Amino acid sequence: MATQNCIFRINRPFEGALTVTPGGPPYPCGNGHAAQPTNQFKAQLDWQIGPPIKCDESKALWPDGLSLHADGNVIVRRDGFAYFTGSFSIVKISGKDGTPPPVTYFSGDRLELIFQSGSHQALAEDCAAPRHAEGWLDGRGAGPMANYSLSAALVAQWDTAHQFYAGTTKFPNSSINRLTGTLVKHA
């Protein structure tokens, strides 16, 4: 008999920030329009994941109050087109005094985000959509979610005061930012 895995739709808002560590000087890449000065920096994503919204089926499985943290690199062209890739974890943060310790719910080796990229051109989204990022993640469950895996698309909008070359880019609009996909319960 085949394995009987189960799937659950997730749909969670988030808000948070991307923090970039300043790096070396820009270097040339490509030619034509792509001939933009380019940099590569260390970066961290820190997002607070909100409670479930319309279509989410994970309320009883995945608690509120989780945070996503990712460490990686961002490649940035001077025109704002950028690509982040890194490893991530989704955790329940402990109290301010450090007790109880954080609990890991998911972790993964790859979270990717493409900035100033729109994939819905047939729906009038610009292919170089300003303030728009899209990406994905795949994670393995841990702790209370050890029998699960997570695959999700990420869509985000950052504030107008972003600066990829140093400092922090904020993603404040949880009415737009989404982590949406599926939880798979493995038999």
Side-chain angles (χ1 to χ4, degrees):
M1 182 171 189
T3 303
Q4 296 181 345
N5 297 322
C6 299
I7 57 174
F8 304 90
R9 187 182 320 273
I10 59 164
N11 192 29
R12 302 278 177 128
F14 64 85
E15 58 185 35
L18 170 74
T19 303
V20 173
T21 303
Y27 50 89
C29 284
N31 52 36
H33 181 70
Q36 298 280 333
T38 302
N39 288 80
Q40 184 168 330
F41 306 115
K42 296 284 184 198
Q44 292 183 334
L45 281 172
D46 287 295
W47 289 342
Q48 294 72 49
I49 301 170
I53 55 177
K54 184 180 177 182
C55 301
D56 186 278
E57 302 167 347
S58 68
K59 176 72 175 162
L61 306 169
W62 178 350
D64 295 345
L66 298 183
S67 296
L68 182 147
H69 177 79
D71 287 307
N73 294 296
V74 63
I75 303 167
V76 183
R77 282 193 342 204
R78 186 63 67 184
D79 65 356
F81 183 52
Y83 171 65
F84 172 89
T85 184
S87 59
F88 74 94
S89 59
I90 296 176
V91 300
K92 178 81 171 178
I93 300 296
S94 63
K96 291 184 180 188
D97 63 355
T99 57
V103 175
T104 300
Y105 281 76
F106 295 97
S107 63
D109 295 331
R110 184 159 307 261
L111 179 151
E112 299 182 52
L113 271 179
I114 303 169
F115 295 84
Q116 282 192 211
S117 179
S119 63
H120 299 93
Q121 291 130 36
L123 299 174
E125 187 174 79
D126 189 342
C127 63
R131 298 179 51 221
H132 183 75
E134 295 185 6
W136 48 88
L137 61 77
D138 287 299
R140 298 169 302 283
M145 300 300 287
N147 292 336
Y148 292 81
S149 60
L150 169 66
S151 294
L154 302 165
V155 177
Q157 181 183 68
W158 63 87
D159 66 3
T160 57
H162 81 286
Q163 189 179 62
F164 287 119
Y165 287 90
T168 300
T169 299
K170 294 184 180 180
F171 298 84
N173 196 343
S174 63
S175 68
I176 294 173
N177 303 333
R178 293 288 179 271
L179 183 143
T180 183
T182 186
L183 287 174
V184 178
K185 183 178 182 184
H186 302 277

